[in-house]
Amino acid sequence: MEYVKGVPLLRPYIDYDNQEFWLAHREEKLVFQKCTYCGKIIHRPKPMCPACLSTDMEWIESTGLGTIYSWTTFVYDRAAYPGIRVPYIVVLVEMSEGVRLVSNIEDVTSEEMYIGMPVEVFFDKVSDDLTLPKFRKRKVKK
Amino acid sequence: MKSIKNKVAIVGIGLSGFSKDCKKTELRMACEAIKDALDDAGLTPRDIDGMIKQTDDSADEHAITSAMGMPNLTFYGETRWAGAPCGMVMQAATGVAAGACHTAVIYRAVNGGSGLRSTPSMRSSGQLSTADLLHWAFHSPFGLMTEQGAVAMLAERYMYEYDIKKDQFGPITVTCRQNGAKNPNSAYFKKPITMKDYKESKMVTDPLRALDCYEKFDAAAAFIVTTPERAKYLNHPPVMILGAAQGSVPETENMCGYYRDDVTGLPEMAVMGKRLFKMAGVKPKDIKFAQLDDAYTPLVPMQLEALGFCKKGKGVNFCGDGKKIKAGGRLPVNTAGGSLGEGHIHGMNHVIEAVHQIRGTATLQVKNAKIGLVATGAGGPAGGLILGR
Ligand SMILES: [Zn+2]
């Protein structure tokens, strides 16, 4: 993905509920919230477990493995974020933990994209103070 | 269960034209639409004691009471996002039915064509509320910033799950534009399109083409609701509210409900529809016309499924080549054009067209249009109305 110089990067909005998720990226870790009481794995982070209403949460490191659940290519610049050169692909990844995550995919063209594609996480240091989890196509051992 | 069925009537409507730059403030647009609705009903600002606004509107209730000299406002509130038109009517109607107010106005005024956008976007003012930030923060760093992109991911999955082919959403936008082409108030009056135009329309966010997506306009609309007793003395036969509901469920979000089991199912629309039909005491087969949220074409078949007009995954078949959903079809949809064929004012014009149909004053009048449905907020917090005589 090619970022356009001069357009401000969009940063996550970090609060007490989600800070572990975003801050882990600096250590190149993808983490998800897990309810300590009932074991439900949750994304996006929430103040309370929607299954059992517990507020006791821990954070588990993801395997980083998932498959493409859906995707789109931003083709037309006026319907896209001006800070990234079109065309660019946004993906919805279903992780092996069962949660879904919006991200980007690199090194894959629109023509090669398909739902169900196995992917794995990598970390893109977009700027000195922003590292984002992104995905690449994953080879699956037969 | 007690309900508001048959306790409240829509008695006045006002709708501006659709402009790319009307050179008016949103406050002025709101006041003009409210004045049109008052005139339509045969009421004055003194008669208004209730008011419901859309949260995102810049023209607030206090500015309007000042601008229009409304000395009697004692009930007001707000609701937000795309389900708001029906939700606002419901909230105003609740106030009337409960006796908290007697005559209430609902309005929206948006400089969508010339000014601020109503949804968070890089090209808007950059002023996002905390709620917006929380909703969008997990998407915007990855360049998922626009509704077109958000809906495209829902559409891609929907096509995958139900084997929907490229261009199968086309007849929806063609039908809306054909309806709108006959509507003198439409931005697309005398400008119908064909499937050929659709197929040649540029790709925006794959698989959505430009003609799958609404355009932004400056526009405003208002409605007035009151008791059936007062309605007897006003200008038009009352349009009765038979059912009204809103819908929100876990992971409901504006166009980005990506985190639930079934991302193409519009569960908030389903929960809204269930309450709506139960309150009205009717079934989908009783509905003579439907004004559906057509901000993006894939949302129309998804709504038909969620509201029970057809089985899950059969919405695109239902729309087919447009025969069933055009005027004269089994279920005429968006008879004034809707967002794609009349212009976008966030579903407000959908309510107005439903009122016209029930009154019998629509341009494309449905025969025996004694009961109709409006749905707003597909792909997000939902709102719905069933209106009748
Ligand atoms: Zn739990």
Side-chain angles (χ1 to χ4, degrees), chain A residues 35-40 42 48-54 56-57:
Chain A
C35 173
T36 307
Y37 189 78
C38 78
K40 185 181 173 68
I42 299 163
M48 184 175 275
C49 171
C52 75
L53 307 189
S54 167
D56 285 338
M57 299 286 186

Side-chain angles (χ1 to χ4, degrees), chain A residues 74-136:
Chain A
F74 283 76
V75 183
Y76 179 48
D77 61 346
R78 292 200 56 188
Y81 164 52
I84 304 174
R85 193 91 58 203
V86 292
Y88 63 89
I89 302 173
V90 173
V91 291
L92 181 61
V93 181
E94 187 152 82
M95 301 301 298
S96 63
E97 290 82 10
V99 295
R100 295 192 200 119
L101 185 70
V102 167
S103 182
N104 301 121
I105 191 163
E106 302 263 326
D107 306 327
V108 176
T109 65
S110 294
E111 290 69 32
E112 294 164 339
M113 282 298 299
Y114 64 94
I115 287 175
M117 176 191 284
V119 292
E120 64 190 348
V121 77
F122 74 97
F123 290 86
D124 186 3
K125 197 162 192 285
V126 176
S127 73
D128 286 346
D129 61 344
L130 183 64
T131 298
L132 294 173
K134 296 189 177 178
F135 287 82
R136 286 199 185 103

Side-chain angles (χ1 to χ4, degrees), chain B residues 8-23:
Chain B
V8 186
I10 300 179
V11 294
I13 49 176
L15 175 63
S16 71
F18 294 87
S19 162
K20 285 290 180 188
D21 186 3
C22 73
K23 313 252 186 251

Side-chain angles (χ1 to χ4, degrees), chain B residues 49 164 278:
Chain B
D49 59 356
I164 297 161
K278 189 168 185 234

Side-chain angles (χ1 to χ4, degrees), chain B residues 183-203:
Chain B
N183 168 7
N185 195 55
S186 164
Y188 310 100
F189 182 48
K190 295 184 178 168
K191 290 182 195 161
I193 55 165
T194 63
M195 273 305 286
K196 184 167 179 290
D197 299 319
Y198 176 77
K199 287 176 185 174
E200 288 170 359
S201 161
K202 69 170 169 286
M203 198 59 85

